[in-house]
Amino acid sequence: MEVGEVPAMYLHHLSDPDMAQIYYPWGGRHYRLQTKFVNGSCVALVPGKGCTLGESRPLICRVWPFWWRSGSDPSTGDFQLEVDGDCTLVTHWNMTVDEVLKELGLSESSVKRELSALYEALREHGMALARARAVNIPPRQLLNWMLREAQLKRHAPHVTIWRG
Ligand code: SF4
């Protein structure tokens, strides 16, 4: 993992309230915690093999191309699925949500479960970054700071660390 400057292809996330939570503004730039990127590509992506992390890939990669319908509350588990408009299955093949689920061999309930978990993870991550920003942690120290905070939270779970 690394804290890196946001790759250009993800800049549109900054105008998305759900995704904007994971970006860390510093000195007029935006950073995020991510799998390491080299030459604009995730290092886990190996030509001819695809993603080498398999089932261990980050949650946000696991749920793609699905998302929750805009305006819904994924924490309740009662929400509609949408498919990311960049997915080729939609842009080229005009597939519906049900057809994409079938094509990828996924069940609606498992995707919803992972989306609910992602929704909570984005919120927690956003709160952690807000706290780091409040105490002026520079991006190069952010990963170690977050690991330390997580350790503290594990050893003293009654202490709320990541709320502003
Ligand atoms: S799916 Fe794998 S290769 Fe693609 S961004 Fe996620 S971790 Fe990296």
Side-chain angles (χ1 to χ4, degrees):
M1 298 297 284
E2 66 173 9
V3 172
E5 194 171 344
V6 50
M9 63 182 164
Y10 297 123
L11 277 173
H12 64 283
H13 284 169
L14 296 175
S15 54
D16 174 338
D18 291 319
M19 290 305 299
Q21 301 178 92
I22 66 167
Y23 291 90
Y24 191 67
W26 188 271
R29 296 166 187 250
H30 285 84
Y31 298 82
R32 69 174 192 174
L33 183 63
Q34 59 188 20
T35 45
K36 197 172 173 62
F37 268 59
V38 174
N39 297 329
S41 176
C42 173
V43 289
L45 186 61
V46 174
K49 288 189 176 170
C51 177
T52 51
L53 294 182
E55 289 302 301
S56 303
R57 65 195 185 282
L59 196 48
I60 199 156
C61 301
R62 294 166 61 86
V63 299
W64 198 88
F66 297 101
W67 205 250
W68 48 84
R69 182 161 294 174
S70 178
S72 59
D73 180 358
S75 64
T76 63
D78 181 21
F79 60 95
Q80 299 291 309
L81 294 180
E82 282 185 349
V83 181
D84 189 308
D86 290 338
C87 176
T88 309
L89 295 175
V90 175
T91 55
H92 285 61
W93 295 2
N94 293 320
M95 283 186 168
T96 63
V97 169
D98 286 345
E99 288 168 337
V100 175
L101 281 167
K102 196 168 168 203
E103 180 69 22
L104 300 179
L106 297 169
S107 73
E108 182 177 346
S109 60
S110 69
V111 171
K112 283 186 168 179
R113 202 165 41 246
E114 295 210 311
L115 280 170
S116 292
L118 177 65
Y119 179 78
E120 285 304 320
L122 290 176
R123 250 172 31 92
E124 278 189 24
H125 197 71
M127 287 190 291
L129 292 184
R131 172 78 186 128
R133 195 70 191 85
V135 292
N136 278 326
I137 304 296
R140 69 180 181 285
Q141 293 173 15
L142 188 57
L143 182 53
N144 283 341
W145 182 88
M146 290 182 82
L147 290 172
R148 265 200 316 274
E149 293 283 293
Q151 258 175 352
L152 279 175
K153 194 171 173 65
R154 210 169 20 247
H155 291 137
H158 58 287
V159 177
T160 303
I161 295 170
W162 285 351
R163 292 184 200 276

